[in-house]
Amino acid sequence: MTKNQTVLSWIEEIKNLVNPSEVVFIDGSEEQAEWLRAKAVKTGEMHKLNEEKLPGCYLHRTKPNDVARVEDRTFICARKEEDAGPTNHWCDPQDMYKKLYDIARGSYAGRTMYIIPFSMGPIGSPLAKIGVEITDSIYVVLNMLIMTRVGDKVWDVLGDSNDWVRGFHASCDVDPEKRYICQFPEDNTIITVNSAYGGNVLLGKKCFALRIASYQGRKEGWMAEHMLILGLENPKGDIHYIAAAFPSACGKTNLAMLIPPKYLADKGYKIWTVGDDIAWMRVGADGRLYAINPENGFFGVAPGTNAKSNFNALKSAEKNTIFTNVALNLDDNTVWWEGLNKDIPVNALNWKGEPWTASMFVKSDKTTYAAHPNSRFTAPAVNCPCISEDFDKGAGVPISAIVFGGRRAKCTPLVYQSKSWDNGVFIGSAMASETTAAAAGAVGVVRRDPMAMLPFCGYNMGDYFQHWLDMGKRLGDKAPKIFNVNWFRTDDEGNFVWPGFGDNMRVLNWIIARCEGKADAVETPIGYVPRPEDIDLTDLDMDMDVLKDILTVDKEVWKKEAAEIEEHYKKFGDKLPAELRNQLEALKTNLDA
Ligand code: GTP
Ligand code: SPV
Ligand code: MN
């Protein structure tokens, strides 16, 4: 418990609004967590899975109308509309508070109000920040216990400070028409109503660690990014750290936990996971950029995860894990999803809880799938076999390379390096990717998603670009090198050309060699691209010509791309930094030469 007056008076205000039948402070103890799990099993919110095969694991199903983030109902409520910018939905804070309070009023009647004190980042780390989430959902509490550092120690570190983020969640009727995900960056406040799914309600994650934190980062001179963090260890035992921003469901968890191909593993190459979704980065005392992962677990995409694609994720989700919207195999009380293995269950319940059997599965028709395409596992980071020794290191890890990427069937080469920091910011600002099931709406549509932050930037994205440019000035020659990757080039039949997953290590090795000045490249209009022989294809059944093809920069295709970037830039008006306009002009000139 806490004596912090700012916390207590806010709790009192929300309590009076929602009128719960009881109030429970979450203390972070195993006893309390166990009591909550038992309670959730009793109410049916959670289903206990096979204790032998999946110890401490549970299954939860959300309402079918509530399975992903909802970007069109997500608002940045800054006092001035311009401060939300052209890429965010905006509402006046007073109007939105009123609307949300009206929706939430009395909605905890007969329910329990849970109060979760949590730290984003190792408790007490100078890079960490504190939040308090109020919720009426045990599922949220149990997920927050995995995803963040929760407990009484957080109150101790907070003391009587007012520097903490208020997060208020009310499930209400899970009515999609009254669903709102609202950030009030100027008040350090988040309110979500009428949802009970992942990124909408685990308020430490996207709402705090990206939307609120990106706003704080700009004010305070640091960065909050939608990035994985990994350490690449070479045979000498040196570790280089890479931070990579890919849009939702575009491969961050997989890259962060990659297992190198055998010939590299045999030589002593290893990947260590620091984070799989979010990075907070600051300039350290030595002038380099240092990153921490503010989270304490993984909220990972289940479909496609298997022993070959991501062995370490599977291991992470073997115990003390919550599965959301996957299928239940009734024969052995375990879970299943498309892509897990060939043992398609014969006697199962699909993600909606309806009877399901192998014969219903039609690969080309996702409506027949047993698991929802955005079904997820919530797994403790400590479970991960390749978790970095630096995972809990409050000071963070020094970043050598920043990598942008996304899903582009055509156009973007497998990998290229920017010509400078500013050119790298240009590449990030112009990033595009095909949409995925992580957010409600159409899937597979190419959209611009700058730095993979389109749904997560808590302020005007034009100012965000300027913040990136300013960080580059501060870092000077100690700035990480910036790259772009694309694992998702397809052939004419729509098959992925690059093998991806563990084989992405071959590209990471080129990236690090470039940072060390040890690898070759050719200069193209868009940046430095490896020659095909610079990517090591040992033990890979891949034609040099195929590799050459996905490394080619097609000037005609890129001229169209430049025209689209020009269109994309228009929305930022005068907020578009002049430097980025210059970068675009330089690209056009290079393409015409
Ligand atoms: P969020 O948690 O939504 O932010 O996503 P993420 O970026 O962590 O995505 P994740 O690693 O979970 O990957 C999402 C999907 O992409 C999964 O179905 C993966 O199997 C697939 N995927 C990941 N890496 C690769 C790759 O290198 N090649 C191919 N073809 N697919 C990949
Ligand atoms: C994403 O959509 O980028 C996620 C999942 O990481 S969620 O937490 O739902 O935002
Ligand atoms: Mn994400």
Side-chain angles (χ1 to χ4, degrees):
M1 273 283 282
T2 178
K3 294 198 181 95
N4 184 309
Q5 272 316 315
T6 63
V7 173
L8 293 175
S9 63
W10 178 70
I11 291 174
E12 206 46 36
E13 179 190 337
I14 300 297
K15 188 178 158 202
N16 289 334
L17 176 75
V18 296
N19 189 29
S21 59
E22 64 171 335
V23 177
V24 171
F25 278 80
I26 301 303
D27 60 20
S29 71
E30 181 49 31
E31 295 73 36
Q32 191 186 48
E34 197 48 39
W35 169 73
L36 288 167
R37 288 178 203 120
K39 197 166 152 180
V41 167
K42 221 166 153 190
T43 62
E45 270 178 89
M46 300 272 219
H47 170 81
K48 172 105 183 79
L49 294 162
N50 186 319
E51 182 61 23
E52 245 103 78
K53 293 188 177 174
L54 294 168
C57 292
Y58 294 80
L59 168 67
H60 171 80
R61 296 188 196 99
T62 63
K63 286 224 173 135
N65 72 29
D66 188 32
V67 292
R69 286 182 294 98
V70 278
E71 295 177 3
D72 57 345
R73 309 203 64 95
T74 300
F75 288 77
I76 300 297
C77 307
R79 277 190 287 277
K80 287 200 286 190
E81 182 167 4
E82 190 190 37
D83 292 338
T87 58
N88 283 311
H89 297 291
W90 174 84
C91 182
D92 174 77
Q94 291 320 314
D95 294 348
M96 190 52 103
Y97 278 126
K98 179 169 182 329
K99 186 192 288 219
L100 296 170
Y101 275 37
D102 285 347
I103 291 172
R105 185 166 293 111
S107 73
Y108 280 31
R111 301 176 65 87
T112 304
M113 169 162 147
Y114 298 101
I115 295 160
I116 314 167
F118 64 94
S119 174
M120 297 310 290
I123 296 179
S125 153
L127 279 78
K129 298 237 171 218
I130 286 173
V132 179
E133 176 163 356
I134 293 179
T135 179
D136 56 348
S137 158
I138 302 185
Y139 170 73
V140 168
V141 175
L142 293 173
N143 273 274
M144 287 294 285
L145 283 168
I146 297 172
M147 293 305 296
T148 71
R149 288 138 170 119
V150 174
D152 285 339
K153 264 200 248 154
V154 173
W155 297 130
D156 299 342
V157 172
L158 181 63
D160 55 14
S161 163
N162 190 22
D163 183 10
W164 55 281
V165 170
R166 291 139 179 80
F168 165 40
H169 165 234
S171 307
C172 305
D173 307 316
V174 198
D175 176 355
E177 301 299 320
K178 292 187 193 150
R179 184 168 299 154
Y180 291 97
I181 320 300
C182 298
Q183 285 67 209
F184 302 82
E186 290 146 357
D187 305 340
N188 273 341
T189 297
I190 304 157
I191 302 179
T192 286
V193 294
N194 278 297
S195 174
Y197 182 84
N200 298 334
V201 295
L202 308 179
L203 300 185
K205 199 172 176 58
K206 298 297 160 67
C207 304
F208 178 171
L210 289 178
R211 297 194 190 100
I212 298 281
S214 61
Y215 170 87
Q216 294 175 328
R218 175 172 179 241
K219 269 202 322 200
E220 298 165 9
W222 53 283
M223 307 167 91
E225 300 296 334
H226 191 202
M227 290 180 178
L228 68 92
I229 310 163
L230 64 80
L232 187 157
E233 181 174 337
N234 66 21
K236 282 187 283 180
D238 307 327
I239 303 182
H240 291 95
Y241 293 92
I242 296 175
F246 309 155
S248 304
C250 289
K252 289 183 300 303
T253 304
N254 279 267
L255 194 69
M257 298 180 189
L258 163 163
I259 296 180
K262 186 168 181 314
Y263 84 97
L264 286 172
D266 288 348
K267 283 189 197 165
Y269 283 95
K270 273 195 199 98
I271 292 292
W272 299 106
T273 308
V274 181
D276 82 326
D277 198 46
I278 296 173
W280 284 359
M281 304 193 287
R282 263 177 212 265
V283 182
D286 63 358
R288 294 186 65 188
L289 189 63
Y290 283 78
I292 63 162
N293 169 12
E295 300 192 282
N296 201 28
F298 311 118
F299 186 59
V301 176
T305 305
N306 60 54
K308 195 160 162 268
S309 66
N310 197 349
F311 176 80
N312 287 317
L314 215 53
K315 279 275 160 199
S316 307
E318 237 173 36
K319 58 181 182 197
N320 304 329
T321 293
I322 299 169
F323 296 91
T324 303
N325 294 340
V326 299
L328 175 65
N329 185 341
L330 293 168
D331 285 332
D332 63 355
N333 195 26
T334 59
V335 288
W336 192 82
W337 51 78
E338 278 67 23
L340 173 62
N341 54 38
K342 296 249 148 62
D343 312 326
I344 309 182
V346 284
N347 181 25
L349 296 181
N350 69 10
W351 66 273
K352 293 182 197 162
E354 301 159 346
W356 189 92
T357 180
S359 63
M360 289 178 169
F361 174 67
V362 182
K363 198 170 176 216
S364 59
D365 179 3
K366 289 206 166 159
T367 63
T368 67
Y369 282 21
H372 188 274
N374 190 38
S375 55
R376 299 215 171 217
F377 53 83
T378 317
V382 291
N383 284 1
C384 182
C386 60
I387 193 77
S388 164
E389 267 182 41
D390 295 321
F391 172 72
D392 270 319
K393 189 165 142 191
V397 295
I399 299 299
S400 300
I402 288 176
V403 180
F404 295 121
R407 288 178 187 263
R408 290 301 294 273
K410 305 284 174 230
C411 186
T412 311
L414 177 65
V415 58
Y416 63 106
Q417 181 182 2
S418 71
K419 297 184 180 180
S420 63
W421 176 273
D422 288 0
N423 180 236
V425 175
F426 167 70
I427 291 169
S429 74
M431 250 168 83
S433 190
E434 292 149 25
T435 51
T436 66
V443 168
V445 181
V446 175
R447 70 167 183 186
R448 299 285 146 191
D449 186 349
M451 283 85 170
M453 283 288 278
L454 180 69
F456 308 121
C457 183
Y459 60 102
N460 190 308
M461 204 143 211
D463 293 331
Y464 170 80
F465 295 154
Q466 186 59 51
H467 182 46
W468 265 83
L469 294 167
D470 294 344
M471 289 299 292
K473 286 199 193 77
R474 269 174 72 195
L475 289 159
D477 59 5
K478 297 201 170 124
K481 302 281 184 276
I482 300 181
F483 298 80
N484 194 88
V485 299
N486 178 21
W487 317 136
F488 299 95
R489 284 282 289 257
T490 56
D491 61 18
D492 294 338
E493 278 86 55
N495 305 305
F496 294 121
V497 176
W498 178 250
F501 302 102
D503 288 309
N504 293 333
M505 183 74 184
R506 300 167 195 269
V507 173
L508 296 185
N509 270 350
W510 180 79
I511 286 175
I512 293 302
R514 285 295 294 174
C515 293
E516 293 185 305
K518 290 182 188 160
D520 252 326
V522 279
E523 188 168 352
T524 75
I526 65 168
Y528 301 106
V529 176
R531 298 168 307 169
E533 57 270 33
D534 297 323
I535 301 289
D536 188 345
L537 294 185
T538 304
D539 290 348
L540 196 62
D541 181 22
M542 186 173 205
D543 215 85
M544 253 323 193
D545 283 343
V546 176
L547 177 61
K548 206 169 150 193
D549 186 48
I550 57 174
L551 288 173
T552 304
V553 177
D554 182 327
K555 280 194 185 183
E556 293 314 308
V557 172
W558 272 90
K559 279 182 193 168
K560 272 196 230 141
E561 185 75 2
E564 282 178 28
I565 295 169
E566 183 134 35
E567 235 359 82
H568 158 65
Y569 269 3
K570 280 187 188 154
K571 11 178 204 305
F572 302 103
D574 330 332
K575 285 281 188 187
L576 185 78
E579 181 50 36
L580 294 188
R581 159 101 17 230
N582 296 342
Q583 287 286 337
L584 174 59
E585 292 311 317
L587 172 65
K588 292 200 302 198
T589 309
N590 293 344
L591 289 167
D592 284 333

